[in-house]
Amino acid sequence: SKAGRALAAKPADFRALFQGNQDDHFRLGVKITRSSLRLFTDFFGSDIIISSPLGMVTRLEAGDGKDCDFLSSIEMVVVDFA
């Protein structure tokens, strides 16, 4: 097939990175308290936000621009294989 030939023409590291399930639409808020760890919390109340770039973009586009200020307190960003 045409898609198979196009994939075969790509370098080995590209094929290794993009083989299988490539579902990269996720976002997760984590709240840490003294006695517990809460998952799937609202971004405003989260201590840690774990998100794919696509997940973050869809979250930002879903709002009206007023509820995006949770990004103002970001202290560290980790981007892997950008």
Side-chain angles (χ1 to χ4, degrees):
S1 74
K2 186 176 181 179
R5 287 191 306 267
L7 185 60
K10 300 289 185 184
D13 62 335
F14 180 92
R15 290 191 307 268
L17 186 61
F18 290 105
Q19 72 183 2
N21 184 2
Q22 302 146 6
D23 185 15
D24 64 349
H25 185 265
F26 62 90
R27 54 183 179 254
L28 169 71
V30 180
K31 175 75 174 170
I32 301 171
T33 63
R34 290 181 187 252
S35 61
S36 66
L37 181 75
R38 295 178 54 208
L39 301 176
F40 302 103
T41 58
D42 185 50
F43 281 176
F44 289 105
S46 297
D47 295 316
I48 300 171
I49 297 173
I50 302 168
S51 176
S52 68
L54 181 60
M56 188 60 69
V57 166
T58 56
R59 169 64 172 86
L60 295 175
E61 289 177 347
D64 57 0
K66 296 177 184 175
D67 60 349
C68 298
D69 61 347
F70 64 89
L71 294 174
S72 64
S73 61
I74 290 180
E75 294 182 15
M76 180 174 64
V77 174
V78 177
V79 179
D80 191 17
F81 288 101

